[in-house]
Amino acid sequence: ETGVTQSPTHLIKTRGQQVTLRCSSQSGHNTVSWYQQALGQGPQFIFQYYREEENGRGNFPPRFSGLQFPNYSSELNVNALELDDSALYLCASSGLAANSYNEQFFGPGTRLTVL
Amino acid sequence: AQKITQTQPGMFVQEKEAVTLDCTYDTSDPSYGLFWYKQPSSGEMIFLIYQGSYDQQNATEGRYSLNFQKARKSANLVISASQLGDSAMYFCAMREVNSGYSTLTFGKGTMLLVSP
């Protein structure tokens, strides 16, 4: 069983640029959630995709957008990068059949630095 | 208002001793789930243990146990026989269900350092 993978592992961008982060969900999982973890904080929910549709969103501006593909992999896009976007971005996959409590399995994260 | 509160920024414990990491939560939903995750310096969130709000018994997973006190809204993690490899950030999280989807709300975490 392949776990959740994310790419790239590290990324450096400048203010105003755009970035795309990628996530491959665990085999058999149809739901992907994205979280932002700023330094010294717990992860914060950005949004969730289920069967290629966004079905939930946290308190993040529209310049944070995403996609989910038919194979359930996902992308997180951030436009007009700001310094405060510097964080660890975590992807988590889950599936209705995974567990009764819908456990989320996390990837290793992408560390984004905005200069 | 903060939904998950972890009041210990850092904890120190000696190898082979037990340690308790505190977590309190706030919800009006009768159905919820509580999770503990370990995050080493590599960044990956590693699932440790889960407690459902209707579970009658405290959850246990190997050296990890969850001291669930529903009336006090606390879900403390107990690690027995600490090992050097337990040094990491530990996060308490609550599963919330919103209009058909569920998310995790995390606390700010506790850094645990295990010394020889």
Side-chain angles (χ1 to χ4, degrees), chain A residues 8-11 21 30 44 55 65 75 77 79 93 101-102:
Chain A
T9 53
H10 295 85
L11 204 52
L21 310 182
N30 54 19
Q44 285 198 304
N55 73 332
S65 63
E75 285 182 355
N77 299 292
N79 293 321
S93 75
Y101 49 83
N102 200 31

CSV table of all heavy atoms in Angstrom, one decimal, chain A residues 8-11 21 30 44 55 65 75 77 79 93 101-102:
chain,number,residue,atom,x,y,z
A,8,PRO,N,6.9,19.5,-4.4
A,8,PRO,CA,8.3,19.2,-4.0
A,8,PRO,C,8.4,19.1,-2.5
A,8,PRO,O,7.4,19.5,-1.8
A,8,PRO,CB,9.1,20.3,-4.6
A,8,PRO,CG,8.2,21.5,-4.5
A,8,PRO,CD,6.8,20.9,-4.8
A,9,THR,N,9.6,18.8,-1.9
A,9,THR,CA,9.7,18.8,-0.5
A,9,THR,C,10.0,20.2,0.0
A,9,THR,O,9.6,20.6,1.1
A,9,THR,CB,10.9,17.9,-0.1
A,9,THR,OG1,12.0,18.2,-0.8
A,9,THR,CG2,10.5,16.4,-0.4
A,10,HIS,N,10.8,21.0,-0.8
A,10,HIS,CA,11.1,22.3,-0.4
A,10,HIS,C,10.9,23.2,-1.6
A,10,HIS,O,11.1,22.8,-2.7
A,10,HIS,CB,12.5,22.5,0.1
A,10,HIS,CG,12.8,21.8,1.4
A,10,HIS,ND1,13.1,20.5,1.4
A,10,HIS,CD2,12.8,22.2,2.7
A,10,HIS,CE1,13.3,20.1,2.7
A,10,HIS,NE2,13.1,21.1,3.5
A,11,LEU,N,10.6,24.5,-1.3
A,11,LEU,CA,10.3,25.4,-2.4
A,11,LEU,C,10.6,26.9,-1.9
A,11,LEU,O,10.2,27.2,-0.8
A,11,LEU,CB,8.9,25.3,-2.9
A,11,LEU,CG,8.4,25.7,-4.3
A,11,LEU,CD1,9.3,25.1,-5.3
A,11,LEU,CD2,7.0,25.4,-4.5
A,21,LEU,N,1.6,23.1,-5.5
A,21,LEU,CA,2.0,22.0,-4.7
A,21,LEU,C,1.2,20.7,-5.1
A,21,LEU,O,0.0,20.9,-5.4
A,21,LEU,CB,1.9,22.3,-3.2
A,21,LEU,CG,2.5,23.6,-2.7
A,21,LEU,CD1,2.3,23.8,-1.2
A,21,LEU,CD2,3.9,23.8,-3.1
A,30,ASN,N,-10.4,8.6,-1.5
A,30,ASN,CA,-11.0,9.4,-2.5
A,30,ASN,C,-11.1,10.9,-2.0
A,30,ASN,O,-11.7,11.7,-2.7
A,30,ASN,CB,-12.4,8.9,-2.9
A,30,ASN,CG,-13.3,8.7,-1.7
A,30,ASN,OD1,-13.1,9.2,-0.6
A,30,ASN,ND2,-14.3,7.9,-1.9
A,44,GLN,N,-3.6,24.2,10.0
A,44,GLN,CA,-4.9,24.8,9.8
A,44,GLN,C,-5.5,24.4,8.5
A,44,GLN,O,-4.8,24.4,7.5
A,44,GLN,CB,-4.8,26.4,9.8
A,44,GLN,CG,-4.6,27.0,11.2
A,44,GLN,CD,-4.9,28.4,11.2
A,44,GLN,OE1,-4.3,29.2,10.4
A,44,GLN,NE2,-5.8,28.9,12.0
A,55,ASN,N,-15.4,20.3,-1.4
A,55,ASN,CA,-16.6,20.1,-0.5
A,55,ASN,C,-16.5,20.7,0.9
A,55,ASN,O,-17.3,20.5,1.7
A,55,ASN,CB,-17.0,18.6,-0.4
A,55,ASN,CG,-16.1,17.8,0.5
A,55,ASN,OD1,-14.9,18.2,0.6
A,55,ASN,ND2,-16.5,16.8,1.1
A,65,SER,N,-6.3,28.0,-4.1
A,65,SER,CA,-7.3,27.2,-4.9
A,65,SER,C,-6.7,25.8,-5.1
A,65,SER,O,-5.5,25.5,-4.8
A,65,SER,CB,-7.6,27.8,-6.2
A,65,SER,OG,-6.4,27.9,-7.0
A,75,GLU,N,-3.8,19.1,-6.3
A,75,GLU,CA,-2.9,20.2,-6.4
A,75,GLU,C,-3.4,21.3,-5.5
A,75,GLU,O,-4.7,21.5,-5.4
A,75,GLU,CB,-2.8,20.7,-7.8
A,75,GLU,CG,-2.0,19.9,-8.7
A,75,GLU,CD,-1.9,20.5,-10.1
A,75,GLU,OE1,-2.5,21.6,-10.4
A,75,GLU,OE2,-1.1,20.0,-10.9
A,77,ASN,N,-2.9,25.4,-5.3
A,77,ASN,CA,-2.3,26.5,-6.0
A,77,ASN,C,-2.4,27.8,-5.1
A,77,ASN,O,-3.5,28.0,-4.6
A,77,ASN,CB,-3.0,26.8,-7.3
A,77,ASN,CG,-2.9,25.6,-8.3
A,77,ASN,OD1,-1.8,25.3,-8.8
A,77,ASN,ND2,-4.0,24.9,-8.5
A,79,ASN,N,-1.8,31.9,-5.5
A,79,ASN,CA,-1.5,33.0,-6.3
A,79,ASN,C,-1.0,34.2,-5.5
A,79,ASN,O,-1.4,34.3,-4.3
A,79,ASN,CB,-2.7,33.4,-7.2
A,79,ASN,CG,-3.1,32.4,-8.2
A,79,ASN,OD1,-2.2,31.8,-8.8
A,79,ASN,ND2,-4.3,32.2,-8.4
A,93,SER,N,-5.0,12.3,3.1
A,93,SER,CA,-6.0,11.6,2.4
A,93,SER,C,-6.8,10.7,3.3
A,93,SER,O,-6.3,10.3,4.4
A,93,SER,CB,-5.4,10.8,1.2
A,93,SER,OG,-4.7,9.6,1.7
A,101,TYR,N,-13.8,6.0,11.8
A,101,TYR,CA,-13.6,7.4,12.2
A,101,TYR,C,-12.9,8.2,11.2
A,101,TYR,O,-12.5,9.3,11.5
A,101,TYR,CB,-12.9,7.5,13.6
A,101,TYR,CG,-11.6,6.6,13.6
A,101,TYR,CD1,-10.4,7.1,13.1
A,101,TYR,CD2,-11.6,5.4,14.2
A,101,TYR,CE1,-9.2,6.4,13.2
A,101,TYR,CE2,-10.4,4.6,14.3
A,101,TYR,CZ,-9.3,5.2,13.8
A,101,TYR,OH,-8.1,4.4,13.9
A,102,ASN,N,-12.8,7.7,10.0
A,102,ASN,CA,-12.3,8.5,8.8
A,102,ASN,C,-11.0,9.1,9.1
A,102,ASN,O,-10.8,10.3,9.0
A,102,ASN,CB,-13.3,9.6,8.5
A,102,ASN,CG,-13.2,10.1,7.1
A,102,ASN,OD1,-12.7,9.4,6.2
A,102,ASN,ND2,-13.5,11.4,6.9
